[in-house]
Amino acid sequence: MQAMVRDMRNRFLVALLFTIPIFVYSPMGGMFTPPAPPFGLGLDLWLFFLASAAVIYPSWPFFVAAWRALRNGILNMAVLVVLSVGTGYLFSVGSTFLFPGVQFYEAVAVLLVFILLGHWLEMRARAGASQAIRALLDLAPPMATVIREGREVEIATSEVQVGETIIIKPGNKIPVDGEIVEGTSLIDESMLTGESMPVNKAVGDEVIGASINKSGSFRYKATKVGADTALAQIVKLVQEAQNSKAPAQLLADRASQWLVLIAILIGLATFATWFWWLGAPLLFAVTLTITVFVIACPDALGLATPMAVMVGTGLGATNGILFKNAGALEDATKLDVIVFDKTGTLTMGQPHVVDIVAAEGRSDEDVLRLAAAVERGSEHPLALAILDRAGDLALDDVRDFHNREGMGAEALVGGSTVLLGNRRLMDEENVPLGALSEAADELKGAGRTVVHVAHKGDLVGLIAIADAPRPTAIAAVAALRKRGVEVAMLTGDNEGTAKRVAAQLGIATVLADVLPGQKADKVKELQAQGKRVGMVGDGINDAPALTQADVGFAIGAGTDVAMESADVVLMRSDPYDVVGAIVLSKATLRKMHQNLFWAVAYNVIAFPVAAGVLYPLIISPAVAAIAMSGSSALVAVNALLLKRTRMEGIGSSVAESGESDRSPTASPIPA
């Protein structure tokens, strides 16, 4: 794309370089007497050389595209560009060497300059629209340490081959996707999945390129490199979205083909009417005919939807909303109901202390202080949840910390042994549960993770930990309902638990006791009621439902399933981005309609004027070229204004709304 941008820029500059002296020497420039042509050449011959340099090389891609289109029986914009530029140039050449007449060299050159400028700016927009995603791609480290011939070698990430063993140390970024073969660690995948909680990885687990190793050292085998990595797939998604055609754009393409045919017919009819019927001079009839061809160039119609799609998808990508295709950009505006999967979508997947049950004679603070003292310095997700709840509590000194694999931990706190872990640890150490046994069973039955805290051989309390709702979940539901979109929650929880969760989030429609294989059926049931359904899920168990929905939104973009199943990928794993996606879609569609209206209205007005219907008011081919380019510029500017439009859930308008608006406090909910 960058090479194409440079090529189009060079063609524009060449055309501009030779058009300036053409404009100066031509009668159209006529504001002063130009110097005599060099080398003793006549003015006609001098303009011929300048125009040939300004037209032949710069316009060559249009001639190639027009030839290919005609071979396939298609009339596109390239055909009309060649028709207008070629007709004017050839007629001028003929009047220079074969018959007396006025040349259109300046009109043809000016027209081509504006056409090339429009295409150059469009290509620059296409190349720049993915800038945010290319910045994401730069998150991958430039170098990787691999094992080659039995020793460690540092090589460029681009040279890593599938099957090679890569060494990762604490703090390293992971260069490519792969599978751990030795060691364990906590890995921060937030830049890809949006999950703020580091993920525990062990032998056999997959790791994603560009994620960050937070703790241990490990070795892993590269399974995906280059264009196959998750990051490269994200770039591919945006490129496909920007190059795909929305339904409105397909309509514009068909309209462009008809416009070319109509322009040819009107041009020929203009010539026949003025030359044969009204008896006008040949030069006058040809001038009006060329003017019709010039002014009919459907640049504005051709740019109407692609520019809006490019700006819309680029703006979405900048804000973590990836549209896989332009069709999804339109379909998102028509949704009647949004179905959210609960776990991992409305919830964070991040542990949170939801309850503390202290033994008789002990306080909640005593239990929390002992547990936090043991967990101090640990990076385990449950430990972080306990430490977060402990806050600024004063903690005793700890020594002799010992991790009990699969059960918990033990340490000396203030000189006494403290055990922290699951029931297996209590049973192995012969710690009686006593009166807290029933409470532990109830908490576990409610979906909580129960951490037992024992001090000097006695159970002093229980700490219940559960998944927490995403900070913006309640605000997202409220915003969707405010916009007239019904919100439903889909979950495998029993109906009682599901309704309690839904009530906390403000969701009225609950689909409970749903197995992963039944989720797509629930979407079908809603569609059978005549509703357009959007499905929001994590892209793994929800893959069939994401595919079945009219628009699938994948929370987290780190897996192939999320990318392949969904129409829209929410990079930040923020449910409020569903609101942003819908708002952006509506704004983009509005720009499409505005651009199409202007492009069609322009041609409806321009054709009669160019054909001389308002004679003696006529316009020259050069003025027509400027008017045509002005139409294209207006369409492009209107599309670019989308970037400055304040939209809920997109850009600065979100940040300025304040976290209090989007992140209301919510009670933790069952996993």
Side-chain angles (χ1 to χ4, degrees):
M1 178 61 76
Q2 293 296 339
M4 292 172 65
V5 171
R6 286 193 297 271
D7 180 68
M8 189 58 67
R9 178 201 62 193
N10 293 340
R11 292 179 188 274
F12 162 72
L13 292 176
V14 169
L16 179 63
L17 178 65
F18 287 99
T19 297
I20 292 173
I22 291 174
F23 195 80
V24 170
Y25 278 96
S26 68
M28 182 180 174
M31 293 173 286
F32 61 91
T33 302
F39 313 115
L41 295 173
L43 181 61
D44 288 357
L45 197 58
W46 175 235
L47 289 175
F48 162 73
F49 285 124
L50 290 174
S52 298
V55 171
I56 295 176
Y57 165 72
S59 66
W60 187 249
F62 296 105
F63 282 87
V64 173
W67 171 247
R68 290 174 179 169
L70 291 173
R71 281 197 310 176
N72 294 321
I74 298 173
L75 296 175
N76 60 12
M77 192 188 74
V79 174
L80 197 52
V81 170
V82 169
L83 188 63
S84 54
V85 172
T87 302
Y89 177 73
L90 292 177
F91 183 86
S92 300
V93 172
S95 68
T96 301
F97 296 102
L98 302 177
F99 51 83
V102 178
Q103 294 89 10
F104 298 112
Y105 289 131
E106 78 280 3
V108 170
V110 170
L111 169 64
L112 189 58
V113 164
F114 279 107
I115 290 176
L116 290 170
L117 176 61
H119 279 72
W120 176 36
L121 294 177
E122 179 187 355
M123 285 184 169
R124 284 188 60 187
R126 282 187 179 274
S130 305
Q131 187 173 2
I133 302 305
R134 288 203 305 273
L136 178 64
L137 189 59
D138 290 339
L139 289 174
M143 306 296 289
T145 302
V146 302
I147 301 294
R148 287 187 176 177
E149 299 179 355
R151 58 192 182 90
E152 296 183 14
V153 181
E154 189 174 45
I155 62 173
T157 297
S158 59
E159 297 177 5
V160 176
Q161 300 177 8
V162 172
E164 284 194 305
T165 299
I166 302 170
I167 299 175
I168 299 295
K169 297 177 181 179
N172 287 168
K173 284 186 177 181
I174 296 173
V176 297
D177 299 359
E179 180 180 318
I180 295 179
V181 295
E182 179 184 325
T184 61
S185 184
L186 284 173
I187 296 179
D188 179 3
E189 298 180 343
S190 59
M191 74 289 296
L192 284 173
T193 65
E195 293 288 354
S196 58
M197 184 177 66
V199 181
N200 192 33
K201 300 284 186 177
V203 174
D205 290 338
E206 294 183 354
V207 292
I208 303 173
S211 54
I212 302 173
N213 181 34
K214 300 292 286 185
S215 56
S217 299
F218 63 91
R219 298 186 178 193
Y220 78 99
K221 179 178 66 176
T223 57
K224 294 180 181 178
V225 301
D228 295 327
T229 62
L231 274 174
Q233 291 300 313
I234 292 171
V235 175
K236 182 181 176 182
L237 285 181
V238 177
Q239 291 174 335
E240 288 177 351
Q242 292 175 342
N243 292 321
S244 65
K245 294 189 176 183
Q249 186 176 343
L250 295 175
L251 176 63
D253 290 345
R254 289 194 295 270
S256 294
Q257 294 187 36
W258 281 105
L259 181 61
V260 174
L261 181 60
I262 292 170
I264 294 173
L265 294 176
I266 292 178
L268 295 177
T270 299
F271 179 82
T273 300
W274 284 101
F275 183 67
W276 283 312
W277 186 23
L278 299 178
L282 174 64
L283 180 61
F284 181 81
V286 170
T287 301
L288 291 184
T289 302
I290 294 175
T291 302
V292 169
F293 291 157
V294 168
I295 210 164
C297 268
D299 266 19
L301 193 59
L303 286 173
T305 58
M307 281 298 295
V309 169
M310 275 193 302
V311 175
T313 54
L315 187 58
T318 302
N319 289 276
I321 303 171
L322 306 185
F323 288 91
K324 289 180 63 175
N325 54 73
L329 198 64
E330 287 196 38
D331 292 340
T333 66
K334 307 169 186 176
L335 297 177
D336 302 308
V337 56
I338 300 288
V339 179
F340 284 92
D341 177 62
K342 179 178 76 71
T343 305
T345 302
L346 290 172
T347 63
M348 288 286 292
Q350 180 175 339
H352 188 98
V353 174
V354 296
D355 201 2
I356 299 175
V357 181
E360 187 176 353
R362 295 279 192 165
S363 67
D364 292 354
E365 188 174 298
D366 292 338
V367 176
L368 195 57
R369 182 181 287 108
L370 289 171
V374 174
E375 297 287 27
R376 184 166 50 187
S378 173
E379 293 185 354
H380 192 281
L382 297 183
L384 295 177
I386 292 172
L387 290 169
D388 181 65
R389 179 63 178 269
D392 297 328
L393 285 178
L395 305 180
D396 293 332
D397 292 333
V398 178
R399 56 189 177 87
D400 295 339
F401 175 88
H402 179 57
N403 182 54
R404 302 291 293 270
E405 190 67 34
M407 294 185 289
E410 65 175 303
L412 292 178
V413 179
S416 302
T417 300
V418 174
L419 298 172
L420 191 70
N422 55 26
R423 182 170 291 191
R424 275 185 56 200
L425 179 61
M426 299 299 108
D427 292 341
E428 187 167 305
E429 295 296 329
N430 298 315
V431 176
L433 300 185
L436 295 181
S437 177
E438 186 176 342
D441 291 338
E442 289 180 359
L443 291 171
K444 189 175 181 180
R448 270 64 167 159
T449 297
V450 181
V451 177
H452 301 70
V453 183
H455 184 220
K456 296 181 180 179
D458 295 324
L459 187 65
V460 298
L462 308 171
I463 298 177
I465 298 177
D467 200 358
R470 295 189 180 275
T472 59
I474 293 178
V477 172
L480 288 170
R481 293 179 63 181
K482 182 180 179 181
R483 292 182 168 274
V485 179
E486 181 185 351
V487 181
M489 187 183 75
L490 190 66
T491 178
D493 288 343
N494 61 67
E495 188 172 356
T497 300
K499 286 187 174 180
R500 286 197 298 272
V501 173
Q504 293 176 10
L505 298 176
I507 298 175
T509 304
V510 179
L511 306 173
D513 293 314
V514 180
L515 298 176
Q518 299 173 332
K519 292 182 178 181
D521 295 333
K522 295 296 182 181
V523 172
K524 287 181 183 178
E525 290 176 10
L526 291 170
Q527 290 171 328
Q529 300 172 18
K531 298 178 179 179
R532 292 181 177 269
V533 182
M535 173 69 193
V536 189
D538 59 15
I540 302 173
N541 294 330
D542 306 316
L546 289 170
T547 304
Q548 176 63 39
D550 294 280
V551 179
F553 299 86
I555 289 284
T559 66
D560 290 338
V561 176
M563 294 182 183
E564 293 169 3
S565 303
D567 302 297
V568 184
V569 180
L570 308 180
M571 288 287 294
R572 299 183 300 193
S573 298
D574 184 350
Y576 204 90
D577 282 343
V578 175
V579 181
I582 292 175
V583 171
L584 177 60
S585 298
K586 290 184 176 181
T588 304
L589 192 62
R590 187 163 57 248
K591 289 296 181 185
M592 287 185 196
H593 292 163
Q594 290 172 357
N595 285 351
L596 285 173
F597 171 80
W598 169 250
V600 172
Y602 165 79
N603 285 108
V604 169
I605 296 171
F607 273 137
V609 176
V613 172
L614 301 180
Y615 183 83
L617 176 63
I618 60 173
I619 58 176
S620 69
V623 174
I626 296 173
M628 180 275 298
S629 301
S631 169
S632 301
L634 182 62
V635 165
V637 169
N638 187 46
L640 291 172
L641 287 176
L642 185 63
K643 289 186 176 182
R644 297 187 175 275
T645 304
R646 293 177 60 88
M647 290 178 282
E648 182 183 6
I650 295 293
S652 60
S653 59
V654 177
E656 291 168 4
S657 66
E659 284 301 318
S660 59
D661 295 331
R662 289 189 61 186
S663 307
T665 302
S667 302
I669 56 181

